[in-house]
Amino acid sequence: MNMENEQTQDSAQKERNEENTEIREMGTLDLGNGHSEHGIQLLTIIGEIEGHEAVSGNTKATKYEHLLPRLAEAEEDDKTEGVLILLNTLGGDVEAGLAIAEMIASLSKPTVSLVLGGSHSIGGPLAVSADYSFIVPTGTMIVHPVRSTGMFIGVIQSYRNMEKTQDRIARFIASHSKITQERLVELMLDSTQLVKDVGTMLEGEEAVREGLIDEVGGISDAFRKLHELIRKKKCDDTLSK
């Protein structure tokens, strides 16, 4: 009997160690297997969004080559019924951020995002890519034009390419939230809010009023909404059969 107890404890400890490694290395966690009413995949987007070039060793970063396979796995895994995305990012690589956002938006599983701290710059598309978005009351979102790391743009083609990239971002945000593209561009080009820069910082309630985020709330609200969306999808799937 003691041997059985020891084996059970060893198995539980091994599972905890694996979960801790997954959180530390990937910023993800499977909340199924008895931990949740439904099979939920937790994804965190923390720090800088890392693209094709690695960020400095002292910078916290989310690697898109880690998240994309995890999102593909969530789509194909029958045990995964929904995805919860937690965000606290200052932005980063535009192409990598848009790639992650497009993947989230294209999932057939219900998705909910929660902005904790901030979701700035390319974090905007990431926050609105989910089916439903939350922001904590003290959370912030900063929208601003696309930059080129402080370099002077002396070639008109480069400027036009940046304009196209900015238009891609604005169209994505507008198509996945309640804000219009015209209003978003207006906020991006505001020269009265940010010191030495143009753009707008929106706090929790302001982000909701502008239609960028669906609702002010916290982790319990995000879980409640995700479970609601999962139950609705199951019901719709049953009726369609």
Side-chain angles (χ1 to χ4, degrees):
M1 194 70 176
N2 289 335
M3 184 176 293
E4 289 181 2
N5 290 337
E6 289 178 3
Q7 289 176 342
T8 301
Q9 291 175 357
D10 289 343
S11 177
Q13 184 60 49
K14 182 180 179 182
E15 183 179 343
R16 284 194 294 270
N17 290 339
E18 289 175 350
E19 289 179 348
N20 290 336
T21 299
E22 185 178 5
I23 294 171
R24 183 174 62 252
E25 299 296 331
M26 307 287 287
T28 64
L29 182 63
D30 182 0
L31 297 180
N33 300 322
H35 296 295
S36 174
E37 176 187 350
H38 296 111
I40 293 175
Q41 181 71 47
L42 173 68
L43 300 179
T44 60
I45 300 177
I46 305 297
E48 185 173 342
I49 309 301
E50 185 178 276
H52 298 300
E53 296 182 5
V55 300
S56 66
N58 295 326
T59 302
K60 288 186 179 296
T62 293
K63 301 178 185 293
Y64 83 109
E65 69 269 27
H66 285 178
L67 280 189
L68 296 185
R70 183 64 75 180
L71 287 165
E73 180 185 50
E75 175 64 24
E76 280 294 286
D77 184 10
D78 291 337
K79 294 180 181 179
T80 299
E81 299 174 287
V83 180
L84 175 64
I85 304 106
L86 304 182
L87 299 111
N88 189 4
T89 175
L90 295 177
D93 188 276
V94 170
E95 297 298 335
L98 279 177
I100 298 170
E102 289 283 12
M103 280 284 283
I104 294 171
S106 65
L107 291 174
S108 64
K109 311 290 177 74
T111 54
V112 170
S113 66
L114 172 60
V115 176
L116 301 161
S119 192
H120 303 169
S121 191
I122 198 60
L126 291 166
V128 305
S129 62
D131 297 324
Y132 201 87
S133 57
F134 287 92
I135 185 170
V136 295
T138 58
T140 58
M141 300 190 72
I142 292 180
V143 294
H144 60 70
V146 174
R147 305 188 187 92
S148 67
T149 63
M151 294 173 59
F152 178 73
I153 306 231
V155 181
I156 189 63
Q157 290 89 341
S158 298
Y159 177 72
R160 286 173 180 165
N161 284 337
M162 290 184 67
E163 277 193 319
K164 289 180 180 179
T165 300
Q166 181 173 306
D167 184 60
R168 287 161 58 203
I169 294 171
R171 276 189 286 113
F172 183 92
I173 292 176
S175 65
H176 290 86
S177 67
K178 298 183 182 71
I179 195 171
T180 65
Q181 187 169 340
E182 292 74 22
R183 176 55 177 163
L184 181 62
V185 172
E186 183 181 336
L187 294 173
M188 282 180 167
L189 300 178
D190 191 333
S191 60
T192 65
Q193 282 208 30
L194 305 180
V195 178
K196 298 181 181 179
D197 200 358
V198 293
T200 301
M201 183 175 76
L202 301 168
E203 295 185 6
E205 290 284 359
E206 294 172 312
V208 173
R209 281 199 301 270
E210 290 288 354
L212 199 58
I213 297 294
D214 290 313
E215 188 177 341
V216 172
I219 189 67
S220 61
D221 301 296
F223 272 118
R224 171 187 51 77
K225 185 64 178 181
L226 186 52
H227 287 302
E228 175 188 316
L229 292 175
I230 292 171
R231 286 192 291 268
K232 182 178 184 302
K233 185 176 187 305
K234 284 185 173 182
C235 182
D236 291 342
D237 290 345
T238 300
L239 292 174
S240 65
K241 291 181 179 179

